[in-house]
Amino acid sequence: MIYLRLVYESFVFAMQALKSNLLRTILSLLGVTIGIFAIISVFTIVDSLERSIRQSMSFVGERIIYVERYPWIFSDGGGDIPWWKFQQRPPTSMREFKFLEDNLENAEAISIVSRRGGNTFKNLNNSMAGIMMQGVSKDFNKVAEVPIEEGRFFTPQEAENARNVIVVGADIASNLFPYGNALGSNIKVRGQKFTIIGVMERQGAGLFEGLPTNDKNSYIPFGTFGKMFASGPRGIQPALMIKGTVADVGLQNLEYEVRGKMRTIRGLKPYVEDNFAVNRSEMMADAISDMFSIIGIAGAIIGGFSILIGGFGIANIMFVSVKERTNIIGIQKSLGAKNFFILFQFLFESVFLSLIGGAVGILLVFLITFIPMGSLEIILTPGNIILGLGVSVVIGVLSGIIPAVIAAHLDPVIAIRSK
């Protein structure tokens, strides 16, 4: 009961402090408001950007190891290797894919994949350019997500026999077949006829236009892809996508096994360096997280200065409040109020004032989420709300501790005579 009374009286005194000199209190709390707004807005925008980029890069996949010629991050295993040595590396092959498919024990699924952009699809008088074509093997939909809305993925028989079947994105289907009925229809690509056996769900625009999305993407059997593009100047240069098991945390077992099997099939002696790269899908995610962590720290430092100023403002309010209520403190202590009661009374008041400033800052961040920003969706997460309120509480405690200690140790006789 005493604690409820303490909270109630602290709330009443805080409201009185607000009403007694409204302009002074608002100006003092403005620092906390601006500081919390700066920190939480930066964290919210950074979280939203990171989430949007990760969604735009969903084509990379999760728990996937890529075996290919070049490393994604040259500082990670490729920084000391001259560029011409990468050019001399042999590309991954169907033979290596078959070997890994038959011998890997720590893999959930494996697929060979090769990409070629800038293709033009045609259906009678309708055409669409700039389409990404991917040649993949039969288990690709087990390695990466292929969200099919209509139809199906191709069967193992269609993949093995290199049939001219294709799974297309939503934009391709709507542009070539504006009146519907894309499923089961035929289209022409590079002079060859393909039958549409699947249409993927609409993904929508990503944050960056340059990144591929399923809406302008298509999948065909790898054998069919090889017949179409193998004769080109660059060939097809496939990569191997290997999905690890949930039990293999960090994919360490899978990576060691893949490296060992690849060195075995390529006949590399123990002293010879790898002539292939093992890339993880987490590499890009970690690089993104590191970049946004720096931005978040910079925003926190900037907001921290505002909060520091706001903390001094609240401390000023509390010193004035102690001076104005010295007589009341003396009466309370003469009636038997303990030091901790006076101490916590002022601490609670300081925290309440700081929370008011912080809540206003969070409210301003919440209002920002309603501003349309194209494909970027800004979301104020519960974690950031709790962080903002938590920082406000800490600032309130730090700002009010010295005035509260001074008030708690006032001599009741001298305090009563202050008026």
Side-chain angles (χ1 to χ4, degrees), residues 4 70 128 163 312:
L4 293 177
Y70 304 100
M128 184 177 179
R163 299 281 178 82
F312 285 124

Side-chain angles (χ1 to χ4, degrees), residues 175-353:
N175 277 275
L176 298 184
F177 301 91
Y179 302 106
N181 301 322
L183 191 64
S185 301
N186 294 324
I187 58 174
K188 279 194 173 182
V189 184
R190 297 174 67 92
Q192 294 194 36
K193 184 186 294 184
F194 283 83
T195 301
I196 298 176
I197 61 170
V199 178
M200 288 181 280
E201 297 175 0
R202 185 171 298 280
Q203 182 177 343
L207 184 61
F208 299 109
E209 290 294 331
L211 294 177
T213 66
N214 279 331
D215 295 342
K216 295 182 180 180
N217 194 11
S218 62
Y219 297 104
I220 62 175
F222 184 80
T224 310
F225 186 92
K227 291 189 294 185
M228 293 177 66
F229 298 104
S231 59
R234 295 182 299 162
I236 56 175
Q237 299 187 11
L240 304 181
M241 293 177 62
I242 309 166
K243 187 164 187 175
T245 61
V246 177
D248 186 8
V249 180
L251 302 182
Q252 291 294 331
N253 295 332
L254 178 60
E255 181 176 348
Y256 294 148
E257 188 180 15
V258 167
R259 287 187 184 276
K261 300 296 184 185
M262 285 296 295
R263 291 182 65 86
T264 298
I265 193 171
R266 291 194 172 186
L268 299 178
K269 296 181 179 180
Y271 57 83
V272 177
E273 64 186 13
D274 293 343
N275 60 356
F276 56 89
V278 177
N279 297 314
R280 293 165 170 265
S281 55
E282 307 96 79
M283 286 181 178
M284 290 187 178
D286 292 343
I288 292 171
S289 297
D290 292 343
M291 178 181 66
F292 283 117
S293 294
I294 295 172
I295 298 174
I297 292 171
I301 292 173
I302 295 172
F305 285 110
S306 297
I307 289 180
L308 185 63
I309 296 172
F312 285 124
I314 292 176
N316 177 62
I317 293 176
M318 297 312 300
F319 277 117
V320 172
S321 183
V322 170
K323 186 173 181 62
E324 291 177 345
R325 286 157 40 195
T326 301
N327 181 261
I328 297 175
I329 295 170
I331 295 174
Q332 287 179 328
K333 297 191 76 172
S334 66
L335 293 175
K338 303 295 184 182
N339 285 352
F340 80 88
F341 183 87
I342 305 297
L343 176 73
F344 282 112
Q345 186 181 91
F346 281 90
L347 267 184
F348 282 154
E349 182 178 340
S350 176
V351 170
F352 279 138
L353 290 173

Side-chain angles (χ1 to χ4, degrees), residues 26-36 303 305-311:
I26 290 176
L27 291 176
S28 299
L29 296 183
L30 195 58
V32 175
T33 298
I34 294 174
I36 294 297
F305 285 110
S306 297
I307 289 180
L308 185 63
I309 296 172

